[in-house]
Structures are given as structure tokens and as C-alpha cells.
Amino acid sequence: MKESTPRTEPIGQNLIKLVSNFCFSVFVFSVLIFTVIAITYQPPDPWLESAPALTKLFTETENATFKIDGSILKTGEDLVAVPPGSVPAVESTEIVTEAVIENSEETITNSTPKPASDCEDLTVVNCSDPRVLIAVEKFNLKWFKSIVFMEYQTPVNGSKPNECDVAWRFRNRKEKSWRKYRDFRRFEIGIGVNCSYKVAHATGWHSGLNARRARSRFNGTRSGGNAKIAPAVRDPEINDTIQTLGSESNFRKGKYLYYSRGGDYCKGMNHYIWSFMCGLGEAMYLNRTFVMDLSICLSGAYTSSGKDEEGKDFRFYFDFKHLKEAASIVEEAEFLGDWKKWDRSHKRKVPVRKVVTHKVAPMQLKKDKSTIIWRQFDSPEPENYWYRVCEGQAAKYIQRPWHAIWKSKRLMNIVTEISGRMDWDFDAVHVVRGEKAQNTELWPNLDSDTSPDALLAKLRGMIQPWRHLYIATNEPFYGYFDKLRSQYKVHLLDDYKELWGNTSDWYYETRLLNNGRPVELDGFMRAAVDTEVLYRAKTQVETFYNLTKDCKDGINTC
């Protein structure tokens, strides 16, 4: 009987088995780790976490969840690119103006120079002479580089024989909306070479009173009540009128999306507008008219009393005319009145689809043929927030129409007035203090880094002495920045109180919207004006990027 010889396996097969066993072990170990993490991990609460900058937040569409941000609200004119079709039209105006000036100069240069004493026809300045306007245009293009001049009015006589008052419309290069503003100045006209006109001297912002529009008296209208208010200059670009739905047939032909009031009411303005944009975005997705409530509850964070204040008008803060042009909307009170009237006028009820949970996605309502889709938000917070409609899968379909929201033209007129009084040639510093400066746990250095001495030391290396310096701040004590006046021409928002005082156009117009009751320039309005003036400065100094090493959202969040 033969002995069996031991069978040896090839080394290659053993190596393959060893590698296979190792890979399988790694796989099992990875699955085990992933399972443990999935079970134990709890995501952070977004309501306790600070947010990234609003610009990033508002331009990210893949995550619809609202995040708190304490900075000023950015709207469509800040975030949306300039419409490409608009640029050539405006720029061509300036190019044509420059071409006219260059051609006139070429004519002058090519001819034999004449002394001013030989210009008998120019001994008395004729303000309607086209050469006067050419001289003014040339002067403006040289001195005001930050604005685009859109159109001029024919110059009129000033207070002296050699003075002319000229009005024009313009826009700021740093503002991405194409709204127009108005200025009128007084120019002293002299005589240049070849009997041409030249500007010898120009006075400041809004000094050419003879070129100012005539003041007109407001009448009570549907746009704001029945109060008769003293004369003021009405901005023709502001249109706050509320459109009516018209006949019953028009009402029944329409398709509407109606959001009842939810938990977003009386929250911060950033929260409110984030939710409002969700509702408006869903209406656009469903191709429906959005029913909007013009009444806003202003959070106590922005009020002088520190308490929430109801009854604020949407039109105080945002451009209603632009919203009407950019989206299909109807005012809630008008809509509910017509709905009630037409629902009772016939036996045929208006078809309504009630949706009682945000979990019914917009995609499920796309083919609904009801005249009204009525979303109701009766659940406890945070389930009753409007923006919850745009979360999850809906975030891939609903695009928030940020281009539809611009800041109020009335507030922007104040911004323009302040910038114009500094002749568009100023620097600005944003000094954040308030509650953050008092919270030394999150911002240990902020208070000392924004003290008057520290500010003066920092700004000396950034801004030249005796420049116009605008300080955008939430510091309540007006005299806090007095030490900076030794080096700069300091400007604060409260230096311009007359722009919203009881003799201002802003006062008259907002009072008209408020049924004859005066309107306070509240904390949100102040922050909006401050921020927009800051944007127009030649040099901009920020608190959390230039003045202090503290993080914007607190320790360890940089």
C-alpha cells in the first residue's frame, strides 16, 4: 500500500485568497462603521446655527431650508445679473453724449481761436442754447464718474444772467436695477475759446431749483386711503396702485394660489421674504396668480418699542411696481372681496382645492384645474412655515424669483439723496456694535476693536484724511464717533433726518399709503439705507473683515 504524498497548492492561489479575505474584511468593517454613524449621528438644528452670507444662501437652489442671517436683506437688484438687453441702450446714451462733445471740441479746435472779448453774441448767456447743454454734459462726465447720465432737460435761467439750472435723470453704476433718479443743479456759465460756453462753477446736489419739477397735491386713492396731504413731489416711477380683478368672468377665468397666514408672520424680514419667495415661486411653477397680503408684521428686532408691530405695508419696504411687472399677483383683500361676491352671485361655486399640509408637493398640484388652490398653514411651528413647501424634492422644481423683489424706490431715493449730497465722492465704514458688542462670549474683541480710538487708528491706514466718511452703524449713541471728526468729514444717517421728516416727499407718500398716519423710519429701513449708501462708497471698510479678527457669526465660525 503506497503512502499518499501531501498536495501542495500554488503560491498564487494562496495570495489571491489572502487578498480576497482582506478586502471582504475591510468591506464588512466599513459597513459596520457606516451603520453605527447612521444610528448615532444627529444633524445640527438649523435654527441654532448661524448662516452663511445671504448672497450665497439666496443663490443656492439645491437646499431650500431657511437659515437665519442677521445681515441686511439682499434683494433682486443686489443679487441678479444686469439684464443683457438693457446695457447697450443705456451705455449708448452716454456714448452719444461723449461723441457730441468730442465733435463740438473738434470743430472748435480746427477753427482759428477767438478771444472772449470778440464773442459779442455771448455777452448774455442764453440757457436754451444747445452749446450750454454741451458744456454741462462735458462737465458732468468729467466729475461724476460713478453715475450714468440718461437724459437731460433743456436748461433754464438761474438767479443771475450768467447762471443756468439744469435737470437730468441718471442711474448709479453700482446699482444693478435700471431705475432712474433725478438731480438738478445750478451752473455758472463762462466763455471758452472760439466763443464756446464752459462751466465756470457748479453748485451742489439739488441746487438748481428753477429746473425742479412743480409740486403736486396728492389725492386719496385706492393705493393708500382718503387722507388729503400737503403738496409734495411725486416720483413718476412709483406706482403703488392695486389692480382690480374686474368682472366675474375674468375672476373665474383666472387661476390663483392663495397662502393663508402662517408661522412666518412677525418673524424677521429675512425669514419673511424667504417664505414669500417660496410662495411666489410655486405660483410661477403652477402658472397661477399669487394672492399676496400687503400687511406685514414687523419683528421687534426692527422696532423702537422692541415689540412686534402689525399693519406695516409691504410697499414701505419693497418696490410694488416692479413686483407687479415681474410676477402675476393680486392683493388679498381685493381677491377675497371678489371671491365672496362671485361665489354667492350664482349657484355655481368657485372651484377650490384646499391643501392643509406642506407635504403636498407643488408637483402634485401641477395638473389641478381648480380656480383656487388654497394652502392652509394651521400646524404648530415650524410645520406652518411657508418655506416648507419648497423643501425636499420641490427644491429641484421651485425657483425663487429673486429678480422680482427690489427695495422700495422711496428708500432708494433717500440713498441717492445722501450719496448725491456727498457728490458721489465718499468712503464708508460699516461699524457693527449693538448686542454683538455686548456679547463678549461670542465676540470677545468687537467692543474694543470698534472703540473710537481703535477706529481712528485703523482708518488712518485705509482712508485719506478729510475725505467724506459715511458711517453705517447700529450704534445708538450719536456722539460715539465724534473723535473721527478730527480727521474726516463724518456723516451719519441721523444727519439727514429731514429726508424722512414731516416736510419730506418720503413722509407724504408713506403717510398716504398708511391712511393718513405718519410712518416711522424703522430699524429695517435704516439698515437698508445704511447698507445701500455703503455700497456706493469708493472705499468700503467692513467690521468683520477689516476692523476686527472676531468672526461675523461668533467664535470659531470664520
Side-chain angles (χ1 to χ4, degrees):
M1 190 173 183
K2 295 183 178 179
E3 293 183 2
S4 59
T5 58
R7 188 176 177 182
T8 60
E9 294 182 357
I11 296 177
Q13 293 182 4
N14 290 333
L15 185 60
I16 292 173
K17 287 182 179 180
L18 183 62
V19 172
S20 299
N21 291 338
F22 177 78
C23 292
F24 181 76
S25 300
V26 171
F27 173 75
V28 172
F29 187 70
S30 301
V31 171
L32 182 62
I33 292 176
F34 180 81
T35 304
V36 171
I37 292 175
I39 293 173
T40 60
Y41 176 70
Q42 293 183 352
D45 187 347
W47 297 101
L48 301 178
E49 294 254 311
S50 57
L54 276 174
T55 304
K56 180 179 179 182
L57 172 66
F58 285 170
T59 52
E60 286 180 351
T61 57
E62 63 272 16
N63 182 9
T65 304
F66 175 78
K67 299 177 183 178
I68 297 173
D69 192 301
S71 59
I72 188 64
L73 174 67
K74 287 182 180 291
T75 53
E77 71 267 39
D78 303 311
L79 301 170
V80 180
V82 178
S86 304
V87 177
V90 176
E91 293 299 334
S92 64
T93 304
E94 187 175 15
I95 292 170
V96 168
T97 303
E98 291 176 341
V100 170
I101 293 172
E102 289 175 0
N103 290 338
S104 65
E105 287 181 329
E106 184 178 352
T107 303
I108 293 171
T109 304
N110 292 336
S111 60
T112 305
K114 294 181 180 180
S117 58
D118 292 343
C119 304
E120 296 180 359
D121 61 327
L122 299 184
T123 52
V124 177
V125 175
N126 178 12
C127 292
S128 60
D129 190 326
R131 291 175 293 179
V132 171
L133 184 55
I134 289 174
V136 171
E137 290 172 347
K138 177 183 175 182
F139 177 88
N140 283 347
L141 288 171
K142 178 180 179 181
W143 289 103
F144 303 116
K145 304 287 187 183
S146 62
I147 61 177
V148 177
F149 294 91
M150 313 280 283
E151 55 196 58
Y152 284 83
Q153 292 182 357
T154 302
V156 298
N157 294 332
S159 60
K160 298 178 181 178
N162 64 336
E163 290 181 344
C164 296
D165 290 0
V166 187
W168 57 82
R169 302 180 80 188
F170 67 95
R171 57 169 290 270
N172 191 282
R173 294 184 188 276
K174 294 184 179 181
E175 184 176 342
K176 292 182 180 178
S177 70
W178 292 90
R179 291 179 294 200
K180 299 176 183 178
Y181 301 90
R182 198 166 186 269
D183 192 9
F184 38 91
R185 301 196 182 212
R186 179 158 293 172
F187 295 87
E188 181 183 332
I189 306 299
I191 302 173
V193 296
N194 279 333
C195 298
S196 64
Y197 285 118
K198 68 176 182 180
V199 174
H201 175 72
T203 52
W205 169 266
H206 278 22
S207 56
L209 298 180
N210 293 344
R212 185 180 186 178
R213 281 194 303 264
R215 303 180 80 86
S216 57
R217 182 175 295 276
F218 289 123
N219 294 318
T221 64
R222 174 68 181 89
S223 66
N226 299 317
K228 290 184 178 180
I229 299 173
V233 176
R234 190 69 181 265
D235 189 333
E237 293 196 1
I238 297 176
N239 180 2
D240 289 317
T241 56
I242 296 172
Q243 297 170 322
T244 60
L245 293 172
S247 64
E248 179 181 1
S249 61
N250 288 338
F251 181 85
R252 291 185 179 272
K253 286 178 184 177
K255 299 290 183 183
Y256 308 96
L257 176 64
Y258 176 37
Y259 275 36
S260 63
R261 188 172 290 174
D264 314 88
Y265 198 65
C266 293
K267 292 294 187 294
M269 190 65 81
N270 290 321
H271 184 148
Y272 163 76
I273 207 67
W274 181 248
S275 289
F276 176 76
M277 286 286 97
C278 171
L280 191 62
E282 184 186 21
M284 289 182 170
Y285 172 75
L286 299 176
N287 197 25
R288 288 175 172 267
T289 297
F290 187 67
V291 181
M292 70 169 293
D293 184 2
L294 286 176
S295 179
I296 292 178
C297 177
L298 189 66
S299 167
Y302 307 118
T303 63
S304 56
S305 65
K307 299 178 181 179
D308 298 340
E309 294 183 3
E310 299 188 54
K312 299 289 185 176
D313 198 301
F314 178 92
R315 295 167 290 183
F316 294 165
Y317 308 97
F318 303 104
D319 191 324
F320 192 58
K321 175 187 176 184
H322 177 69
L323 178 62
K324 291 187 293 184
E325 293 172 348
S328 178
I329 60 170
V330 62
E331 192 266 333
E332 183 185 64
E334 185 78 27
F335 171 81
L336 294 178
D338 285 349
W339 182 8
K340 181 179 180 181
K341 178 172 63 174
W342 302 129
D343 210 28
R344 291 180 176 180
S345 62
H346 294 85
K347 294 181 179 180
R348 183 167 61 94
K349 295 287 187 180
V350 175
V352 179
R353 165 80 180 273
K354 292 184 179 180
V355 182
V356 296
T357 173
H358 68 81
K359 295 180 181 179
V360 177
M363 299 78 79
Q364 298 173 259
L365 303 174
K366 185 70 172 176
K367 296 182 180 180
D368 194 290
K369 296 183 179 179
S370 303
T371 300
I372 302 170
I373 294 178
W374 183 4
R375 280 196 179 272
Q376 299 176 338
F377 297 86
D378 299 325
S379 303
E381 294 186 21
E383 295 297 308
N384 61 349
Y385 292 152
W386 285 8
Y387 72 79
R388 300 300 298 272
V389 173
C390 297
E391 292 185 320
Q393 287 295 317
K396 298 179 180 179
Y397 296 89
I398 305 302
Q399 300 295 323
R400 283 177 167 83
W402 294 110
H403 65 277
I405 291 291
W406 289 356
K407 295 182 184 71
S408 163
K409 180 65 159 50
R410 294 186 180 90
L411 289 178
M412 296 305 292
N413 283 341
I414 295 177
V415 171
T416 302
E417 180 91 14
I418 293 173
S419 303
R421 290 191 185 185
M422 292 184 282
D423 267 341
W424 308 100
D425 185 18
F426 65 96
D427 304 309
V429 56
H430 187 199
V431 183
V432 176
R433 288 187 54 79
E435 294 181 0
K436 286 189 176 182
Q438 298 171 15
N439 188 340
T440 55
E441 292 184 4
L442 290 178
W443 296 277
N445 304 300
L446 181 59
D447 186 33
S448 59
D449 286 343
T450 56
S451 67
D453 290 327
L455 286 172
L456 191 57
K458 284 283 182 95
L459 293 177
R460 277 174 176 164
M462 301 178 187
I463 298 175
Q464 295 180 356
W466 300 116
R467 290 272 298 164
H468 288 291
L469 177 65
Y470 186 86
I471 302 178
T473 183
N474 61 348
E475 169 58 47
F477 178 49
Y478 177 82
Y480 185 81
F481 301 99
D482 282 352
K483 185 164 286 190
L484 276 66
R485 299 182 189 275
S486 64
Q487 293 291 318
Y488 302 102
K489 300 174 184 177
V490 172
H491 301 259
L492 295 164
L493 181 59
D494 281 338
D495 292 331
Y496 301 93
K497 287 183 177 180
E498 72 277 8
L499 298 182
W500 59 88
N502 59 10
T503 59
S504 68
D505 299 335
W506 183 89
Y507 176 87
Y508 292 131
E509 294 192 14
T510 54
R511 184 179 168 187
L512 183 68
L513 287 178
N514 204 35
N515 294 314
R517 299 187 301 272
V519 176
E520 174 194 14
L521 192 81
D522 57 53
F524 179 80
M525 297 175 185
R526 294 176 67 91
V529 172
D530 259 352
T531 305
E532 290 295 333
V533 175
L534 177 75
Y535 289 162
R536 284 153 180 74
K538 291 190 174 180
T539 301
Q540 301 170 16
V541 180
E542 284 285 357
T543 301
F544 293 106
Y545 301 100
N546 305 116
L547 300 179
T548 182
K549 292 182 180 179
D550 283 354
C551 302
K552 180 179 180 182
D553 297 314
I555 281 181
N556 299 325
T557 61
C558 294

